[in-house]
Amino acid sequence: MATLLHIDSSVFPGEASSSRSVAAAFRTAWEEQHPEGAVIYRDLAANPVPHITADAWSAGYAAPSERTPEQAAAFAAREELIEELEQADAVLIGAPMYNFSIPSTLKAWLDSVLLLGRTAGETPSAQGTPVIVVASRGGSYAPGTPREGFEFVQNYLEAVLKGTLRLDLHFIVPELTMAPRNPAMSELVPLYEASRERAFEDAATKAKEFAERFAA
């Protein structure tokens, strides 16, 4: 029975969010392939995880018997998140671009699950787990565009998810999502629509590819 860890971080609900909409399409296709599977779902906008504290951080490097009551309580919240990552057969993350980077709620989740000697280090505990990131953005920051140098979502997540956690990372990038709502971007609406259509197609394709991997 395959387990999917699904994380949303957009502050906008439902179809108002491109990252949520595309991630939902992936999840639907995934569940069609794994009707008996399990989904662990976290909506970081509705239920944010605590930002890392000194107690939560230091507890990760102290023996359980040596932790203070404050450290033990803080680390319990971290360990729950870490165990969800370790139990997952695949991970789905909605990561919209806010002010050129990821939402602070997603950063808080990453700060909790990154633990040297367990999820990070020589033998990361979730190493090789496939992860699909829906990295939506209002404009375009693709190579060759005027704002290429402002892209800190894919670059950062590649360093963390692939380089540190050593997950098998894949991106789906719906871009120009502000075009239908911003008159100054009206000429870009066809490009937005093409990007959106491609994102939904990629979501369905990737879900089936992941399913075939587990069936093999």
Side-chain angles (χ1 to χ4, degrees):
M1 182 177 72
T3 297
L4 175 69
L5 173 60
H6 178 187
I7 297 170
D8 274 325
S9 61
S10 173
V11 297
F12 299 104
E15 294 184 1
S17 165
S18 291
S19 66
R20 286 182 184 271
S21 297
V22 176
F26 178 99
R27 177 170 168 175
T28 296
W30 168 273
E31 290 178 324
E32 289 174 353
Q33 301 295 321
H34 297 284
E36 304 301 323
V39 176
I40 302 170
Y41 180 61
R42 284 195 174 270
D43 186 335
L44 300 181
N47 297 291
V49 302
H51 284 279
I52 200 78
T53 63
D55 284 329
W57 185 272
S58 58
Y61 302 100
S65 60
E66 298 176 353
R67 292 171 184 158
T68 66
E70 293 78 14
Q71 285 178 318
F75 189 73
R78 284 190 72 185
E79 188 153 42
E80 180 180 1
L81 299 174
I82 289 171
E83 288 179 349
E84 288 176 355
L85 175 63
E86 293 173 334
Q87 293 166 6
D89 295 294
V91 181
L92 169 64
I93 300 175
M97 177 185 282
Y98 293 160
N99 298 316
F100 311 119
S101 188
I102 63 173
S104 63
T105 51
L106 181 54
K107 178 62 163 60
W109 179 81
L110 288 168
D111 286 341
S112 285
V113 300
L114 277 164
L115 180 58
L116 188 63
R118 184 167 173 178
T119 59
E122 292 186 5
T123 55
S125 54
Q127 181 173 347
T129 302
V131 54
I132 190 81
V133 174
V134 181
S136 60
R137 60 277 315 275
S140 179
Y141 302 82
T145 60
R147 287 201 163 187
E148 175 183 356
F150 290 81
E151 209 299 308
F152 301 111
V153 173
Q154 289 179 263
N155 292 343
Y156 171 70
L157 291 178
E158 183 165 359
V160 175
L161 298 176
K162 182 178 179 180
T164 304
L165 296 176
R166 298 188 196 171
L167 305 180
D168 178 17
L169 176 61
H170 305 259
F171 282 108
I172 296 177
V173 185
E175 61 179 10
L176 301 168
T177 62
M178 288 297 296
R181 296 187 290 275
N182 185 346
M185 299 175 65
S186 59
E187 64 181 18
L188 299 175
V189 168
L191 292 177
Y192 152 74
E193 292 174 342
S195 176
R196 178 177 173 83
E197 182 179 355
R198 184 166 57 250
F200 279 108
E201 291 174 352
D202 287 348
T205 299
K206 288 294 184 185
K208 292 177 182 179
E209 287 178 359
F210 283 15
E212 290 172 357
R213 180 182 307 190
F214 296 119

